[in-house]
Amino acid sequence: MEGSGNDQKKQPNRSQRDTAIDKAGRAGLFKRLKQAATGRPDEQQSCEGKLDAAPPEKPRPHANDEWRDIIGDIALPVEEPEAAHTLSEHAEPDNLHPPSEVIPSGKRVAELNANPPSGAIRLRPVGSHGVIITLSQQVELIVGRETEHCDIVVLDRRCSRKHCTLIQRGSRVVVRDLQSRNGVYVNAHKVEGSETAFVGDSIRIGHAKMIVSE
């Protein structure tokens, strides 16, 4: 009987058991609500204050973008990558760059177009729709970027102020380079001094291209 009395003393009554279960349930509910509010378990919150989370790394702009990298208070331009392929001096750029515009500017070209001489050769600039330049055997036309002193103006940054001259000699065109910086090409050949172009040939200055025609 004594043993049964001791067991009865050790066992909690129903009210004490219900109170313990109620406290455990409230503690578990509070823990789950706390995790839901913070989005992380208590183990991570306990470390809060000891270890600061590293800030997320900002994405760097792509090298081809025009944006700049900011380092402190100094803005450095993003370096453009080198071109994978470099055009040789004989490469035709038509498929890689739109043709530059060619404009007949001088009065002499206007007079030749209005009254073309017999057997005159003409130039048809590629990409300049409707533009025709009539040549003459008596007049040497100046080609360049300078609008005031050139008969044919080429809107291309590779064109010099006075780039070359063109004059008709029989059934051909004589192209004379005026010591231009980037040169002038007849077809794929760079002109050294002067060069002859025939009907069907092309004369190229930078990205501007003119076809010799009758």
Side-chain angles (χ1 to χ4, degrees), residues 50-205:
K50 295 181 180 180
L51 297 176
D52 295 331
E57 184 179 356
K58 296 182 179 180
R60 291 173 55 86
H62 194 271
N64 291 332
D65 295 339
E66 296 180 356
W67 298 98
R68 296 169 179 263
D69 287 333
I70 305 299
I71 304 178
D73 296 330
I74 303 176
L76 298 177
V78 178
E79 295 183 357
E80 293 290 338
E82 295 183 358
H85 301 283
T86 303
L87 291 176
S88 65
E89 63 178 11
H90 302 295
E92 292 289 341
D94 298 338
N95 296 330
L96 302 178
H97 193 284
S100 299
E101 189 174 0
V102 178
I103 302 173
S105 176
K107 293 181 179 180
R108 296 189 296 180
V109 176
E111 294 175 356
L112 289 172
N113 285 339
N115 301 298
S118 178
I121 292 179
R122 295 169 175 83
L123 299 178
R124 300 181 184 275
V126 176
S128 301
H129 301 289
V131 176
I132 297 177
I133 300 170
T134 304
L135 302 180
S136 171
Q137 300 194 52
Q138 286 77 34
V139 180
E140 190 175 39
L141 302 179
I142 301 175
V143 183
R145 200 177 69 248
E146 195 175 64
T147 57
E148 295 181 359
H149 301 94
C150 293
D151 302 293
I152 304 171
V153 176
V154 177
L155 302 180
D156 193 299
R157 61 183 178 83
R158 297 184 181 183
C159 182
S160 301
R161 293 179 181 275
K162 293 182 179 180
H163 200 96
C164 66
T165 61
L166 304 173
I167 190 170
Q168 181 177 346
R169 289 286 184 258
S171 60
R172 63 188 187 275
V173 179
V174 177
V175 183
R176 183 167 62 93
D177 189 6
L178 297 178
Q179 298 181 348
S180 61
R181 182 173 182 178
N182 296 299
V184 56
Y185 295 82
V186 173
N187 297 328
H189 179 71
K190 186 176 183 180
V191 175
E192 300 292 343
S194 63
E195 186 75 20
T196 300
F198 295 89
V199 173
D201 291 341
S202 64
I203 300 172
R204 179 167 63 86
I205 299 173

Side-chain angles (χ1 to χ4, degrees), residues 17-84:
R17 186 167 59 252
D18 293 343
T19 302
I21 292 173
D22 187 37
K23 289 182 179 180
R26 287 198 302 270
L29 178 61
F30 177 74
K31 182 177 181 180
R32 289 194 298 272
L33 291 175
K34 188 176 181 181
Q35 292 179 2
T38 58
R40 55 182 181 175
D42 290 342
E43 290 78 3
Q44 294 183 1
Q45 286 189 357
S46 62
C47 298
E48 190 177 33
K50 295 181 180 180
L51 297 176
D52 295 331
E57 184 179 356
K58 296 182 179 180
R60 291 173 55 86
H62 194 271
N64 291 332
D65 295 339
E66 296 180 356
W67 298 98
R68 296 169 179 263
D69 287 333
I70 305 299
I71 304 178
D73 296 330
I74 303 176
L76 298 177
V78 178
E79 295 183 357
E80 293 290 338
E82 295 183 358

